[in-house]
Amino acid sequence: MKLALFAALSAGLAAPAPVEADDPVSTPTPTTLQPGAYWIRAVEAPNFHKYLQTKPANVPGTAILDSYTTAGQFNIEDGQLVNKVSNPPLYLWVEEPADKANPPRTLATFFNTTKNPFGTFAWQGDALTWSVPSIKRQNLAAWLVCEKQALFVNTGAYGYQTPSGCADQTIHYYNDKTANN
Ligand SMILES: *[C@@H]1O[C@H](CO)[C@@H](O)[C@H](O)[C@H]1NC(C)=O
């Protein structure tokens, strides 16, 4: 990269915008499931068969549930929820609240290039759970989908006093060859 830039400069060409080696570039997710990977989707209204992904696809950013046509693919490895379609891989993070005894009702989730330092993802049957010893939760599989389809950990009870603008959801792995509606 440095050599190429030097060559371009000495040839009197405009310098290209610097690109960090670890800046993931959005690439579409393959439409068939990769070995060991899962689709992850809600199976109840109002997000029936909406799939976990980012927009744009496969770059760091807010975790959302959206169309099967742009569904992401994921694995759980050592408690990390990882997207290995992206290069480098992306890990799902959960916002760490300052007050863990009285956490906010929703904890934001987003994908980042480094491993999530806060909590553990696991399957319970086919349902995705997240837990951390410092936060008591009634239901480890309780998620909320709120504005702009953003996915949050629900620190409260499932289906009880649902925050306005949000919908209670559980989300599940699905391992058919293609994502579907
Ligand atoms: C993403 O990971 C980096 C390195 O671990 C960290 O410094 C950064 O705060 C993370 N991004 C967010 C939005 O938390």
Side-chain angles (χ1 to χ4, degrees):
M1 176 65 203
K2 277 206 174 107
L3 276 178
L5 181 57
F6 177 74
L9 287 174
S10 29
L13 302 172
V19 174
E20 299 293 335
D22 59 356
D23 266 0
V25 174
S26 175
T27 50
T29 307
T31 52
T32 56
L33 206 51
Q34 304 302 291
Y38 294 105
W39 314 108
I40 298 178
R41 65 184 192 178
V43 295
E44 300 277 356
N47 292 294
F48 181 79
H49 289 187
K50 292 281 196 285
Y51 289 73
L52 184 62
Q53 56 195 281
T54 57
K55 200 171 234 127
N58 302 313
V59 292
T62 306
I64 64 171
L65 294 191
D66 208 343
S67 169
Y68 72 99
T69 60
T70 47
Q73 299 188 14
F74 307 94
N75 305 62
I76 291 181
E77 289 178 350
D78 299 328
Q80 298 283 330
L81 184 79
V82 55
N83 169 352
K84 296 205 285 194
V85 168
S86 63
N87 182 20
L90 297 174
Y91 299 90
L92 189 57
W93 281 43
V94 174
E95 170 193 6
E96 182 166 356
D99 184 352
K100 297 184 183 61
N102 297 289
R105 180 65 189 273
T106 55
L107 301 178
T109 70
F110 56 95
F111 286 92
N112 199 349
T113 52
T114 53
K115 288 187 176 173
N116 169 41
F118 185 53
T120 302
F121 293 93
W123 302 118
Q124 188 177 90
D126 64 6
L128 181 67
T129 67
W130 174 84
S131 62
V132 70
S134 54
I135 295 185
K136 275 210 178 75
R137 297 179 64 203
Q138 298 202 2
N139 182 340
L140 300 182
W143 302 86
L144 288 161
V145 177
C146 304
E147 285 82 4
K148 295 184 178 160
Q149 292 301 111
L151 178 71
F152 294 83
V153 166
N154 178 0
T155 62
Y158 186 89
Y160 176 72
Q161 296 183 344
T162 306
S164 119
C166 299
D168 288 279
Q169 305 285 172
T170 54
I171 50 179
H172 304 261
Y173 76 68
Y174 178 63
N175 61 2
D176 207 353
K177 208 168 94 181
T178 57
N180 54 49
N181 209 349

